[in-house]
Amino acid sequence: MARVTDPRPPLPEWILECYDRLCTQACRPDAGEDSVLLIDYDDAIDVLVTDAELALEKRDVEHALTRLLERGYFYEVEDELRVTSPEEQC
């Protein structure tokens, strides 16, 4: 979620692919409009490690999740990853 004025380089494409995969696996716990997409942290690791197209090892997946959290694509609440702005990103 790097802004135009963000001096950091953009995230690598493989990390953005991880984000896209997780968005497709995330769910809304409530039916309300204000509910956010979320996925359990351990489930996110499992989804990405078992994705044959990505072919990532667990340490790579953990690195990708860390980078996505640092950049604000997700925020973490009690071992759940919540999508920050699903209407803009997923």
Side-chain angles (χ1 to χ4, degrees):
M1 193 158 135
R3 293 191 170 42
V4 175
T5 59
D6 192 340
R8 300 174 293 187
L11 289 174
E13 188 63 34
W14 70 272
I15 291 179
L16 295 175
E17 286 182 33
C18 290
Y19 176 73
D20 290 341
R21 295 291 201 298
L22 292 176
C23 282
T24 63
Q25 297 296 315
C27 64
R28 291 186 191 277
D30 302 325
E33 290 181 22
D34 294 336
S35 66
V36 296
L37 291 171
L38 62 86
I39 187 168
D40 183 76
Y41 187 87
D42 291 333
D43 290 343
I45 289 175
D46 290 343
V47 164
L48 296 176
V49 166
T50 59
D51 189 305
E53 286 184 45
L54 292 174
L56 298 172
E57 296 181 17
K58 184 177 179 183
R59 69 177 181 263
D60 296 324
V61 168
E62 290 170 341
H63 173 73
L65 293 176
T66 298
R67 297 290 307 275
L68 291 166
L69 282 163
E70 291 172 347
R71 290 289 181 96
Y73 284 81
F74 291 110
Y75 62 99
E76 190 170 11
V77 177
E78 298 179 7
D79 294 327
E80 290 178 339
L81 299 176
R82 297 178 183 206
V83 178
T84 304
S85 302
E87 64 279 351
E88 295 175 10
Q89 297 176 11
C90 291

